[in-house]
Amino acid sequence: MAASHHHVRHWSRRSALGLIACVPLGLASIAQAAECIDPASLSAAQKSMRKSLGFRTSNDATKRCGLCAFFTAAQPGCGKCALLSGGIVPAEGVCDSWAKKS
């Protein structure tokens, strides 16, 4: 009979406070992403292209626009996407056509 090992995380007050302290950083990142472009200012064709590519903002640090081969940095936190005909996107965005920069 094999022994079962269960790892139980015990939260201390310090670890909980550390986690809570990180929340504003994530919210600031999302707010910065929203400043790149006003979605209401996009044309119907641009909105359609973003929808077809599954474009969205995300906290996925591994496949974000800033690390994509189709992304060219512009202003801090924002850039242009070749798939979106040079459309402005937040560096924290993601889509279904992400390709790793070489």
Side-chain angles (χ1 to χ4, degrees), residues 73-87:
Q75 64 193 38
C78 301
K80 295 183 179 186
C81 175
L83 295 178
L84 298 174
S85 302

Side-chain angles (χ1 to χ4, degrees), residues 24-88:
L25 297 174
L27 293 176
S29 174
I30 291 169
Q32 182 182 17
E35 293 175 8
C36 286
I37 189 163
D38 178 10
S41 70
L42 297 172
S43 70
Q46 290 171 319
K47 289 177 184 177
S48 176
M49 178 61 83
R50 288 173 187 237
K51 185 175 181 178
S52 69
L53 292 175
F55 178 80
R56 61 211 176 270
T57 55
S58 172
N59 290 330
D60 184 350
T62 61
K63 291 190 175 183
R64 60 189 177 91
C65 291
L67 300 174
C68 181
F70 301 112
F71 181 84
T72 304
Q75 64 193 38
C78 301
K80 295 183 179 186
C81 175
L83 295 178
L84 298 174
S85 302
I88 300 294

